[in-house]
Amino acid sequence: MTDDTTADPAADTVGTAVDTRPSKIVYVAEATAHGGRDGYVTSQDGQIELKVAMPPELGGDGNGTNPEQLFAAGYSSCFHNALVLVGRRAGYDLSGSTVAAKVGIGPNKQRGYGLAVALSVSLPVLDAGIAAKLVDAAHEVCPYSNATRGNIDVTILLG
């Protein structure tokens, strides 16, 4: 299990970070926000057309989705795919596994806002040692994990 607040698992050796940038772009997603947090978002291909609204905790009416929910959906699905990939490579069937994401937002010390993520991973058919190794490997493969590493707190809980 990984907690990015205590160590950088992307480091080869002390002081040498692994370059996780793509060497080739194979897909580009496009989305446009109209009206910020109290408007709507659309995707270029028409697959997404969602009303967005501030949650009540941030002073809004909550009558729509919000960027934190969309980030949680993206991170959980991407991490789950990475988990299935590393599981398959290691010879394990991860049928019945799930990944849930909680994305928190709050003020930071620079007078802006920051995010924190908690991923809850369920691998019901594997023993805890194997499950932990697969979760750590998925955290190295997942593009969301690579993008957030060292930038926001990401905690992974295995249960």
Side-chain angles (χ1 to χ4, degrees):
M1 290 165 293
T2 306
D3 180 351
D4 285 345
T5 62
T6 57
D8 181 1
D12 279 332
T13 59
V14 175
T16 307
V18 173
D19 184 358
T20 60
R21 295 175 296 178
S23 58
K24 176 183 176 185
I25 301 295
V26 295
Y27 170 73
V28 174
E30 295 181 49
T32 303
H34 310 264
R37 284 182 169 267
D38 283 311
Y40 64 100
V41 292
T42 59
S43 62
Q44 185 266 345
D45 64 1
Q47 293 296 311
I48 296 174
E49 188 170 328
L50 298 170
K51 178 176 173 29
V52 291
M54 294 277 277
E57 297 83 353
L58 296 177
D61 64 12
N63 192 21
T65 191
N66 59 67
E68 293 72 36
Q69 289 174 326
L70 296 171
F71 189 72
Y75 202 160
S76 63
S77 63
C78 190
F79 192 90
H80 194 238
N81 195 73
L83 187 61
V84 169
L85 175 71
V86 299
R88 187 178 335 119
R89 287 178 179 169
Y92 296 101
D93 177 8
L94 300 187
S95 296
S97 62
T98 60
V99 176
K102 291 182 181 180
V103 175
I105 184 172
N108 64 23
K109 294 177 183 176
Q110 287 72 42
R111 300 181 62 171
Y113 288 84
L115 299 174
V117 173
L119 298 175
S120 297
V121 179
S122 174
L123 294 165
V125 298
L126 297 179
D127 79 21
I130 292 169
K133 287 179 183 177
L134 292 177
V135 165
D136 287 343
H139 195 43
E140 296 299 317
V141 169
C142 176
Y144 277 66
S145 293
N146 287 329
T148 60
R149 188 172 288 111
N151 298 311
I152 66 174
D153 292 340
V154 176
T155 304
I156 301 176
L157 306 168
L158 183 56

